[in-house]
Amino acid sequence: MSKPVKERKSRPVNLDLQTISFPITAIASILHRVAGVITFVAVGILLWLLSISLSSPVGFMEASDIVNGFFVKFILWGILTALSYHIVGGIRHLLMDLGHFEELDTGAMSAKVAFGVTAVLSLLAGVWVW
């Protein structure tokens, strides 16, 4: 005796990510992961720069010259912005693990606060770098 075959419902499948409207909580979570990857890669760049600067007085001057360029300052600003968002988002996730901001409305509010705090920290990092 054979099993009855389940009928497949024909429903539309939308795989175009540009047409999907993500909630702000999903955007915050995705950006937290992206900021973590950027921070991980930045550790290698910053350790290389630290290695050059600690090698000798001449190496310190070379590292100083590297950091004084606009493009490198922009990259450093991006690294600091990603690090600050990752820290702020991590604190948000820790608070959620403790049982806070778990509802949709409070989660959206905490995501907006995380974006706002990161914007302020990003501005401060820009002032510090330049």
Side-chain angles (χ1 to χ4, degrees):
M1 189 168 227
S2 66
K3 294 182 181 180
V5 178
K6 284 187 173 181
E7 290 184 33
R8 274 195 118 155
K9 295 181 181 178
S10 62
R11 46 188 173 160
V13 177
N14 182 2
L15 298 178
D16 186 7
L17 294 179
Q18 294 177 345
T19 62
I20 297 174
S21 176
F22 289 106
I24 193 166
T25 53
I27 294 169
S29 180
I30 292 167
L31 286 178
H32 182 253
R33 293 169 192 220
V34 169
V37 170
I38 291 170
T39 302
F40 179 75
V41 171
V43 168
I45 296 169
L46 296 175
L47 284 175
W48 169 77
L49 195 58
L50 179 65
S51 173
I52 291 173
S53 72
L54 294 177
S55 64
S56 67
V58 174
F60 180 80
M61 291 308 294
E62 288 176 8
S64 179
D65 289 341
I66 291 171
V67 172
N68 282 332
F70 175 79
F71 184 67
V72 176
K73 283 185 179 184
F74 185 74
I75 290 174
L76 288 174
W77 172 75
I79 289 170
L80 290 172
T81 299
L83 178 62
S84 65
Y85 182 72
H86 193 67
I87 290 170
V88 171
I91 291 169
R92 177 179 172 263
H93 281 288
L94 286 173
L95 289 173
M96 289 169 55
D97 287 344
L98 294 173
H100 306 288
F101 312 119
E102 290 185 333
E103 293 78 29
L104 186 59
D105 56 341
T106 57
M109 183 264 311
S110 70
K112 291 175 186 175
V113 168
F115 290 147
V117 170
T118 302
V120 170
L121 291 174
S122 178
L123 286 173
L124 291 174
V127 169
W128 183 52
V129 168
W130 277 287

